[in-house]
Amino acid sequence: MIEIKDNPELPMDREEDEQSSLAWFGRGMRGIFSLPAFILMLSFVGFCSLTAQAGIPVQQVVFMVGMVWALPAKVILVSSMMSGANLAAAFLAVSLSSVRLMPMVAALVPELRASRTPTWLLLFLSHFVAITAWVFAMEKVPQVPRERRVAFFAGFGITLVAANMLLVAVVYHFVADFPPIIAGCLFFLTPVYFLASIWHSARHPVVYVALLFGLVGGPLFYWLFPEFDILLAGLVGGTLAWLVERLWRQRKEVGV
Amino acid sequence: MTWQDGWWAYAFIAIAGWLATDIWRWLGVVAGNKLRDDSEALNWVRAVATALVAAVIAKLILYPTGVLEQSPLWLRVGAVGLGAVAFFLFGRKPAIGIATAIAALALGLWWLGF
C-alpha cells in the first residue's frame, strides 16, 4: 500500500503564504465556469419553476438557497411547506434526506484538511457541500497542493452558492411557463450529470462498485421500506460494495 | 400560523431546512477529522457516500416529479442507457454521455407529443 505523507512544512513568508491562498481561492472561484456548475445552474432554473408554481415568494426562495443549499433537501422542504406539514414533520423529512451529507463530508474532510486547518473553518466550509460541490471537489482537489485545498474549495463553494442565489432572484420572474420538453430535460440533467461525473472522477475502485450497488439498492429499498430507502441503500449497498471490493483486492494480492 | 406569514416562513426554513441539513454536515466534519486519508474506514465511508448518492440518482430517474412524471419509464431508462453507451464508446467524456442522454430524452418526448 502506498502511503501518502504531507510535504514537510517549509518555512514560508507569511505574506507570500496569504497571497498564494488568495490565488487558489480565485482558482476555486473560476470553477463557476465549469460543466458541473453550469448544469447545477440549469437545475436551479428547474427548481425556480417548481417554487414559482408552489407560490413561494422569491425572497424566501433565495433565503432557502443560501441556508439549505442541498437541492434534494430543498425539494423536500418545499413539498412539506406546500402540504402544510408542521415544523417537526418537515424537520424530520428534511433530516432524513440529508443524513447522506454526513458520509459525504466525512469522505471529503481528509482530502481537504492540511495539518494546521482549524476545525471551525471546516465546520463553516461544510455548509457549502452538496452533491455538485462534492463531486467537483473530490475530482479536482487532489491536483491542488494540500496547504491550498481549503482556500480552493472555499472559493468554489462560496461562489457557487452566491451565484445560484443571484440566479434564482433573477430567473424566478421569468420561469412561469417553460415548454414541457425543456422542463423535462432540465430535470433530467441532474441525475445524468451525477452519474457521468462520479464514474469519470472515481479514483478508488470501490467507487465503481458502490455506484452500481447504490443504483440497484435505491429502487429496491424504495420498494421494501419507502421511508428510509436512501439511507438503507447507502448503508447496505455501500457496505456490500466495500466488502466485495475488499475481497477482490485481497484475492488479487494473494494471487499475484 | 402557516408558512406564508412573514417571519414565520423564515423561521420555518431556518429550522426545518438549515438546521436539518447542517447538523449532518457538522457531524461529517467531526467524523471525517478522525479518519486517515489512506485508511480502510475511509474506504467504507466513501463506499457508503457513493451508494447514497447513487440511490438518489436512481430515484430521480425512476420516480421523477413534474413533466417527466407522465413520461414512460422505458424512455428515461433508455435515454440513460444510450448515454452510458456513448460515454464508454467515446473516451469516457462526461459531456458526451450527458449530451447523448439528454438528446435521446428530448427526441423521445417530442416523438410522444409532449
Side-chain angles (χ1 to χ4, degrees):
Chain A
M1 194 172 278
I2 305 158
E3 195 161 359
I4 300 156
K5 286 213 172 87
D6 293 352
N7 290 327
E9 273 159 40
L10 302 163
M12 220 186 301
D13 187 27
R14 199 181 162 75
E15 202 174 317
E16 190 188 321
D17 189 42
E18 272 168 22
Q19 266 178 10
S20 179
S21 279
L22 209 65
W24 279 104
F25 187 90
R27 280 188 213 188
M29 286 180 80
R30 262 181 272 153
I32 195 83
F33 302 107
S34 63
L35 183 70
F38 179 67
I39 288 173
L40 183 67
M41 285 175 159
L42 288 178
S43 307
F44 267 91
V45 174
F47 177 68
C48 253
S49 77
L50 176 79
T51 53
Q53 278 165 33
I56 297 176
V58 63
Q59 297 89 341
Q60 290 175 22
V61 180
V62 173
F63 182 68
M64 205 185 281
V65 172
M67 292 300 272
V68 182
W69 187 224
L71 201 48
K74 280 200 293 288
V75 172
I76 290 165
L77 181 63
V78 168
S79 63
S80 319
M81 286 167 103
M82 282 168 66
S83 63
N86 68 33
L87 186 60
F91 181 87
L92 191 70
V94 175
S95 294
L96 282 177
S97 82
S98 306
V99 179
R100 64 186 167 74
L101 290 169
M102 183 182 166
M104 285 165 64
V105 172
L108 183 60
V109 160
E111 306 271 357
L112 274 189
R113 64 155 186 230
S115 52
R116 290 173 305 169
T117 309
T119 302
W120 65 262
L121 186 59
L122 290 170
L123 287 171
F124 168 70
L125 288 178
S126 73
H127 178 71
F128 302 95
V129 174
I131 300 183
T132 300
W134 185 75
V135 170
F136 180 87
M138 294 295 274
E139 184 179 351
K140 305 282 180 200
V141 137
Q143 293 128 45
V144 177
R146 189 165 274 279
E147 297 291 321
R148 306 286 170 236
R149 289 179 181 179
V150 166
F152 178 80
F153 179 74
F156 179 68
I158 293 170
T159 311
L160 196 62
V161 173
N164 278 294
M165 287 171 78
L166 200 70
L167 177 85
V168 165
V170 175
V171 168
Y172 185 90
H173 304 284
F174 302 102
V175 289
D177 284 300
F178 272 140
I181 292 186
I182 304 282
C185 288
L186 281 175
F187 182 95
F188 213 59
L189 260 178
T190 306
V192 170
Y193 157 67
F194 286 158
L195 264 183
S197 63
I198 290 176
W199 192 279
H200 174 74
S201 66
R203 284 173 299 114
H204 302 273
V206 73
V207 172
Y208 301 115
V209 190
L211 187 63
L212 295 177
F213 278 51
L215 284 174
V216 176
L220 180 70
F221 285 104
Y222 179 70
W223 180 57
L224 291 172
F225 309 100
E227 297 99 282
F228 305 105
D229 52 347
I230 301 292
L231 213 57
L232 284 170
L235 275 176
V236 178
T239 304
L240 277 176
W242 172 72
L243 282 172
V244 166
E245 192 269 336
R246 202 173 120 104
L247 206 72
W248 180 65
R249 194 170 1 127
Q250 280 168 350
R251 247 196 217 175
K252 213 167 70 171
E253 273 166 19
V254 171
V256 173
Chain B
M1 266 194 288
T2 68
W3 56 268
Q4 277 144 325
D5 303 329
W7 68 270
W8 175 242
Y10 292 94
F12 194 100
I13 293 169
I15 297 167
W18 169 65
L19 204 60
T21 49
D22 262 6
I23 279 180
W24 298 109
R25 293 183 175 111
W26 296 331
L27 286 171
V29 172
V30 173
N33 250 339
K34 299 202 175 85
L35 293 171
R36 285 180 47 90
D37 62 358
D38 55 354
S39 66
E40 199 57 58
L42 179 60
N43 227 15
W44 176 75
V45 169
R46 206 177 271 136
V48 170
T50 308
L52 277 165
V53 175
V56 174
I57 296 171
K59 275 190 76 181
L60 286 171
I61 295 168
L62 299 181
Y63 314 102
T65 50
V67 179
L68 289 184
E69 219 174 335
Q70 278 108 48
S71 66
L73 178 66
W74 61 261
L75 174 62
R76 282 174 269 131
V77 175
V80 172
L82 275 178
V85 169
F87 176 78
F88 287 113
L89 274 183
F90 300 104
R92 305 194 178 181
K93 296 208 170 57
I96 290 175
I98 295 164
T100 307
I102 297 296
L105 180 80
L107 268 175
L109 288 176
W110 172 76
W111 185 65
L112 289 166
F114 270 79

